[in-house]
Amino acid sequence: MRMRRMRDSKFTRNMIRETYLSKNNLIYPIFAVEGKGIRREIPSMPDCYHYSVDRLREEIEELTNLGINYIMIFGVPDYKDEIGSSAYDNNGIVQRAIKEIKKINPHMYVITDVCMCEYTSHGHCGILGHNNEVLNDETLPYLSKIALSHAAAGADMVAPSDMMDFRIESIRKCLDENGYTNVPIMAYSAKYASAFYGPFRDAADSAPKFGDRKSYQMDISNSDEAMREISLDIQEGADIVMVKPALSYLDVIRRAKDNFNIPIAAYNVSGEYSMLKNAVKIGLLNKSAIYESVLSIKRAGADIIITYFAKDIAKILNEVQ
Ligand code: PBG
């Protein structure tokens, strides 16, 4: 056997290629901010922008022209309180952004991040108890209310990222009772307490004001535990399960793919993005490293990839065609 025989020309290489990226599997995250006339580059995330609702048109049209039809919305509100009430305000930042996007392009598939950390004054993903601990069961009704308000505003899918136990069950029940049986849930199932969320927390102003998220997000050392998280979310009614971050957790993605017959999503997070984007910007790496890096997530077993590189990848795919 000569392995190089099939590498000799692009015809044989193309013939036996195993993994492809497709625009159908890419989700692009968008940050909507309060205010007017804002299109501001996010300092920690080169080429990513904060948009006020009135300027979302530019972003949505660019994505539509590139052939990206899936987005995930994050809201940056101007009002925060202990219970994150602006997260379920029917006139809140995410709710208005959804309606605006649907006006611009009704076919844009809109997924929303369901969490409280951007909306709470303390920056944690739930309701606090007397000793500043994050209360699990007390948080569930709030998460359900947030998911419901997103669905009512026109979200096509909701993605809870808080890591409370039983939130998938609670959100599913609430959506069903209110007539949103066909709104799927993409569960951030195996979400690790990772240092790679740093640039996002600057972008979304969502860093915890004290302590860390280790009592709810997963220990970075564990992989068996990720399988238990995923299997519980499937039992509770998740339609898609997610591993997050992606690149430092490719082993977890592969295990998930081999163990469960359900679509697997992976979140190529802000830290993973900014490191590579900056390396390409200063000429340290060739830009083909971007394709290679996102492709590795697909090869590891992810069916769906949430990535700030979606536009870069779409441009590469459009060139090839
Ligand atoms: C909200 C949330 C976070 C991210 C997605 N949803 C931040 C966090 O958990 O602290 C991170 C995304 C990224 O880093 O790109 N809880």
Side-chain angles (χ1 to χ4, degrees):
M1 184 67 196
R2 286 178 179 272
M3 292 306 286
R4 289 185 56 193
R5 201 160 24 228
M6 292 297 277
R7 283 179 209 142
D8 196 43
S9 80
K10 86 167 189 240
F11 295 99
T12 46
R13 287 196 298 272
N14 286 349
M15 187 182 241
I16 63 166
R17 182 155 295 144
E18 298 172 31
T19 311
Y20 289 90
L21 288 175
S22 158
K23 286 177 272 179
N24 286 331
N25 312 128
L26 300 179
I27 301 170
Y28 185 70
I30 285 183
F31 294 92
V33 300
E34 291 289 0
K36 278 208 160 45
I38 298 169
R39 177 183 186 269
R40 194 172 48 216
E41 191 171 23
I42 299 169
S44 57
M45 301 176 68
D47 292 344
C48 290
Y49 291 80
H50 278 148
Y51 283 95
S52 52
V53 172
D54 62 327
R55 289 195 68 175
L56 278 171
R57 176 174 290 277
E58 293 157 54
E59 180 78 313
I60 298 305
E61 285 178 351
E62 185 188 349
L63 290 166
T64 305
N65 291 336
L66 284 169
I68 297 170
N69 299 309
Y70 302 88
I71 56 169
M72 184 181 255
I73 306 181
F74 292 94
V76 187
D78 56 5
Y79 171 78
K80 302 185 191 232
D81 59 23
E82 281 281 300
I83 57 168
S85 61
S86 55
Y88 53 84
D89 179 348
N90 286 334
N91 204 25
I93 181 71
V94 168
Q95 291 79 356
R96 278 182 287 124
I98 300 168
K99 288 181 198 152
E100 179 66 16
I101 291 165
K102 288 289 180 185
K103 257 191 249 163
I104 299 165
N105 178 359
H107 302 298
M108 183 59 75
Y109 194 91
V110 177
I111 306 162
T112 56
D113 182 83
V114 175
C115 198
M116 295 173 65
C117 57
E118 294 105 314
Y119 305 88
T120 51
S121 43
H122 44 76
H124 279 287
C125 307
I127 300 294
L128 296 187
H130 293 307
N131 301 316
N132 277 345
E133 75 278 29
V134 177
L135 300 171
N136 192 89
D137 298 8
E138 290 74 359
T139 299
L140 300 177
Y142 287 91
L143 294 170
S144 299
K145 257 205 291 207
I146 298 168
L148 178 59
S149 79
H150 291 175
D156 296 293
M157 179 186 282
V158 294
S161 69
D162 51 283
M163 288 300 278
M164 298 303 123
D165 290 322
F166 309 119
R167 88 267 207 223
I168 304 303
E169 178 184 53
S170 163
I171 290 171
R172 183 71 275 158
K173 193 159 168 275
C174 175
L175 290 176
D176 288 353
E177 282 170 359
N178 288 280
Y180 296 102
T181 45
N182 278 335
V183 172
I185 301 177
M186 175 160 67
Y188 285 71
S189 300
K191 178 175 177 182
Y192 287 87
S194 168
F196 287 95
Y197 309 149
F200 173 96
R201 290 181 188 173
D202 289 340
D205 186 29
S206 67
K209 296 286 180 291
F210 58 85
D212 54 40
R213 303 210 203 288
K214 288 181 183 164
S215 82
Y216 41 107
Q217 298 182 348
M218 277 188 56
D219 189 316
I220 57 172
S221 314
N222 298 350
S223 152
D224 289 348
E225 187 182 340
M227 298 305 109
R228 294 210 301 282
E229 279 284 7
I230 289 170
S231 97
L232 285 168
D233 281 355
I234 295 171
Q235 281 172 41
E236 288 179 32
D239 299 280
I240 299 171
V241 294
M242 192 199 298
V243 176
K244 176 184 172 191
L247 293 173
S248 302
Y249 299 84
L250 294 176
D251 57 319
V252 180
I253 296 173
R254 172 45 59 189
R255 274 191 82 178
K257 184 64 186 165
D258 289 343
N259 275 288
F260 301 100
N261 295 316
I262 190 166
I264 309 288
Y267 200 136
N268 184 202
V269 301
S270 58
E272 299 173 329
Y273 169 80
S274 292
M275 271 197 304
L276 185 47
K277 192 78 185 188
N278 280 311
V280 170
K281 279 211 176 260
I282 64 171
L284 192 63
L285 289 175
N286 184 284
K287 79 173 194 306
S288 59
I290 292 173
Y291 191 90
E292 183 177 340
S293 155
V294 178
L295 182 71
S296 76
I297 301 169
K298 189 82 182 282
R299 198 184 57 241
D303 302 292
I304 299 158
I305 304 171
I306 302 147
T307 179
Y308 306 95
F309 284 125
K311 289 182 191 174
D312 299 84
I313 300 294
K315 283 177 197 159
I316 294 167
L317 293 173
N318 293 345
E319 272 167 31
V320 173
Q321 275 159 13

